[in-house]
Amino acid sequence: MDKLIIQGGNRLSGEVTISGAKNAALPILCASLLAETPLKLSSVAALKDIDTTIKLLDMMGVKIARDADEVSLDASDVQSFEATYEMVKTMRASILVLGPLLARFGTARVSLPGGCAIGSRPVDLHIKGLQAMGAAIHITHGYIQASTLHLPNRRLQGTRYYMDLVTVTGTENLMMAAALAEGKTILENAAKEPEVVDLAECLIKMGANITGAGTDVITIIGVEKLKGADHNIVCDRIEAGTYMVAAAMTGGEVKLKNARADLLDAVIEKLRDAGAEVKVSKVENTITVKSDGKLKAVNIRTAPHPAFPTDMQAQFMALNVVAEGVAKVTETIFENRFMHVQEMQRLGADISIDGNTALVKGVEFLDGATVMATDLRASASLVLAGLVARGETVIERIYHLDRGYEHLEAKFNALGANVKRV
Ligand code: EPZ
């Protein structure tokens, strides 16, 4: 099992290029199942979750060619319509093949995702939405067995569907399903995350008729067929946010390239509240973060986009741990997304948890120690803490990091950090 060894205390400076968004690439790779001709993608990051998705699609018979950050996917001859438990248990986002398989082939057998470290994360809204479009869905032996073969022309039927909760992949699954359904679908209380917008933009290039992506009402008018297209994946706002916090915490000056500030309003505002200087160039898509390392604690409350993103909660917890003052961090999206807290306490953090709110009292310094990564963003927050801790921090189980951060140690070391993978 790989681990990271970090010598803390270095200020970060220089430039870092942000990769394509993991959470845009995953649904867009699955959207290839909808097209009769090849979908060509660029800025597809080299990440574990992306490898897993490509392997899943390959097992279904999608012909895939990958060269650096470019991937082309040809779903003209799909043989299997199944995502097995083995695949889904390694990556719950495999659920994103359900909508496309049903829409294009009328049948799908997808394992229910098991539990997850950060919360139960059910997929009931995905299923209810597809049932609202007429799909016959049975849950048997841990699998979602879905079919539209009983429907007129074997096609999903457009409908108006209100989602009880804002769900990112739920919105994405239903948008992809509706793209080939008969008639109009209106998704209400839809997720507005930039990754949902990027998927919609890609589907529109493929011939889909979608309006309203990025608002809470998305209207999709089904078409007969979709074709391949060329699409460049949007930059990863969470990777960008992570490097921005690292620059602020270490008291450095870092320029991020391929970083769209318009996707990070809430994060930029909080960094400025903490006392970091954030300069933005919308023309060049760069964000420069500069700080003297003496930050003020900032209150955080996560909520769906455009509010403060839950995927940045752990990173700002790390910032607050070494900031001046006391701050509250409230997690409203997932019921168990504080696993990084116990690990940070091993480094000397002063955090107390009351339900879904953590009270963080800034401390003078952290002491390096051995800690354990528990989920993707928690792992990132431990790297940030290790960058400022005194002495050596060892992070175990860093396979979590490899799911969402491309070339992490190379990027941090190029900025002057001292991070070794062993
Ligand atoms: C997406 O997960 C992201 N993953 C997550 O990023 C992100 O944290 C999350 O959205 C919230 O922004 C991908 O896009 C691949 P949800 P998703 O459905 O879609 C509940 C990362 O770090 N819910 O928006 O699974 C659910 O339990 C990952 O990159 C239901 O109850 O999240 C949660 O409490 C972690 N029933 C809330 O809604 C459903 O059918 C939001 O979940 C669906 C969701």
Side-chain angles (χ1 to χ4, degrees), residues 22-23 26-27 92-93 96 118-127 165-170 172 193 195 237 310-311 332-335 337 376-377:
K22 165 178 86 81
N23 290 349
L26 298 182
R92 53 184 310 101
L96 284 164
I118 62 177
S120 60
R121 299 179 76 180
V123 289
D124 55 310
L125 298 177
H126 299 235
I127 292 168
L165 273 169
V166 174
T167 160
V168 173
T169 49
E172 291 165 348
E193 271 66 7
E195 295 74 30
R237 63 194 166 100
T310 173
D311 290 349
T332 72
I333 306 289
F334 292 109
E335 63 267 29
R337 203 171 197 176
L376 170 54
R377 306 305 171 183

Side-chain angles (χ1 to χ4, degrees), residues 30 33 52-62 78-88 94-102 105-112 140-146:
C30 296
L33 289 165
T52 305
T53 305
I54 285 176
K55 186 161 163 256
L56 170 62
L57 294 169
D58 177 67
M59 282 163 62
M60 289 178 177
V62 180
V78 172
Q79 312 283 337
S80 142
F81 313 111
E82 175 166 317
T84 62
Y85 177 65
E86 284 62 41
M87 290 308 296
V88 176
S94 310
I95 189 76
L96 284 164
V97 300
L98 179 61
L101 285 174
L102 261 188
F105 305 104
T107 178
R109 183 170 184 269
V110 176
S111 165
L112 272 174
T140 51
H141 305 297
Y143 275 78
I144 301 166
Q145 188 71 45

Side-chain angles (χ1 to χ4, degrees), residues 283-333:
V283 175
E284 296 169 348
N285 275 345
T286 60
I287 302 173
T288 303
V289 177
K290 187 176 173 192
S291 138
D292 61 5
K294 292 182 183 48
L295 299 171
K296 290 192 290 303
V298 286
N299 291 327
I300 298 292
R301 181 182 181 79
T302 66
H305 193 76
F308 189 90
T310 173
D311 290 349
M312 283 299 301
Q313 178 256 105
Q315 295 90 317
F316 268 78
M317 180 90 73
L319 182 150
N320 278 330
V321 158
V322 290
E324 188 197 323
V326 179
K328 277 187 181 172
V329 177
T330 302
E331 172 57 58
T332 72
I333 306 289

Side-chain angles (χ1 to χ4, degrees), residues 237-246 312 315 380 384 405 412:
R237 63 194 166 100
I238 304 300
E239 183 194 21
T242 305
Y243 284 98
M244 290 161 69
V245 171
M312 283 299 301
Q315 295 90 317
L384 298 178
Y405 288 90
F412 270 120

Side-chain angles (χ1 to χ4, degrees), residues 52-357:
T52 305
T53 305
I54 285 176
K55 186 161 163 256
L56 170 62
L57 294 169
D58 177 67
M59 282 163 62
M60 289 178 177
V62 180
K63 297 183 198 64
I64 300 169
R66 190 175 185 184
D67 172 17
D69 71 343
E70 302 200 337
V71 180
S72 80
L73 304 104
D74 175 359
S76 57
D77 185 19
V78 172
Q79 312 283 337
S80 142
F81 313 111
E82 175 166 317
T84 62
Y85 177 65
E86 284 62 41
M87 290 308 296
V88 176
K89 79 178 177 192
T90 52
M91 187 193 64
R92 53 184 310 101
S94 310
I95 189 76
L96 284 164
V97 300
L98 179 61
L101 285 174
L102 261 188
R104 175 110 181 277
F105 305 104
T107 178
R109 183 170 184 269
V110 176
S111 165
L112 272 174
C116 164
I118 62 177
S120 60
R121 299 179 76 180
V123 289
D124 55 310
L125 298 177
H126 299 235
I127 292 168
K128 281 187 195 137
L130 291 169
Q131 285 172 326
M133 291 186 196
I137 297 188
H138 306 287
I139 311 281
T140 51
H141 305 297
Y143 275 78
I144 301 166
Q145 188 71 45
S147 162
T148 65
L149 304 184
H150 60 294
L151 293 169
N153 311 319
R154 297 181 161 197
R155 279 177 81 184
L156 289 169
Q157 304 297 306
T159 184
R160 184 185 197 94
Y161 182 66
Y162 176 83
M163 284 175 276
D164 273 359
L165 273 169
V166 174
T167 160
V168 173
T169 49
T171 302
E172 291 165 348
N173 236 337
L174 298 179
M175 190 162 66
M176 289 191 281
L180 286 178
E182 184 103 37
K184 177 192 283 194
T185 297
I186 298 176
L187 298 179
E188 297 192 336
N189 197 26
K192 299 184 267 194
E193 271 66 7
E195 295 74 30
V196 173
V197 175
D198 203 41
L199 170 63
E201 285 173 3
C202 181
L203 289 169
I204 290 165
K205 287 179 191 171
M206 294 164 68
N209 182 334
I210 299 174
T211 51
T215 74
D216 44 15
V217 179
I218 302 178
T219 303
I220 305 108
I221 299 181
V223 295
E224 291 291 321
K225 288 188 182 325
L226 290 175
K227 60 190 188 323
D230 291 350
H231 185 74
N232 182 52
I233 303 287
V234 69
C235 64
D236 194 318
R237 63 194 166 100
I238 304 300
E239 183 194 21
T242 305
Y243 284 98
M244 290 161 69
V245 171
M249 286 174 67
T250 57
E253 179 167 356
V254 174
K255 181 175 191 178
L256 285 79
K257 296 162 78 174
N258 188 37
R260 280 186 40 194
D262 60 310
L263 308 181
L264 283 156
D265 289 339
V267 169
I268 290 172
E269 186 181 334
K270 284 295 172 185
L271 272 178
R272 287 176 171 153
D273 290 352
E277 183 191 314
V278 182
K279 277 201 303 252
V280 159
S281 162
K282 298 218 176 192
V283 175
E284 296 169 348
N285 275 345
T286 60
I287 302 173
T288 303
V289 177
K290 187 176 173 192
S291 138
D292 61 5
K294 292 182 183 48
L295 299 171
K296 290 192 290 303
V298 286
N299 291 327
I300 298 292
R301 181 182 181 79
T302 66
H305 193 76
F308 189 90
T310 173
D311 290 349
M312 283 299 301
Q313 178 256 105
Q315 295 90 317
F316 268 78
M317 180 90 73
L319 182 150
N320 278 330
V321 158
V322 290
E324 188 197 323
V326 179
K328 277 187 181 172
V329 177
T330 302
E331 172 57 58
T332 72
I333 306 289
F334 292 109
E335 63 267 29
N336 186 30
R337 203 171 197 176
F338 281 153
M339 270 150 330
H340 38 287
V341 168
Q342 294 95 317
E343 300 305 314
M344 288 183 188
Q345 286 165 335
R346 287 182 46 71
L347 299 171
D350 180 350
I351 308 172
S352 55
I353 295 179
D354 173 13
N356 68 344
T357 295

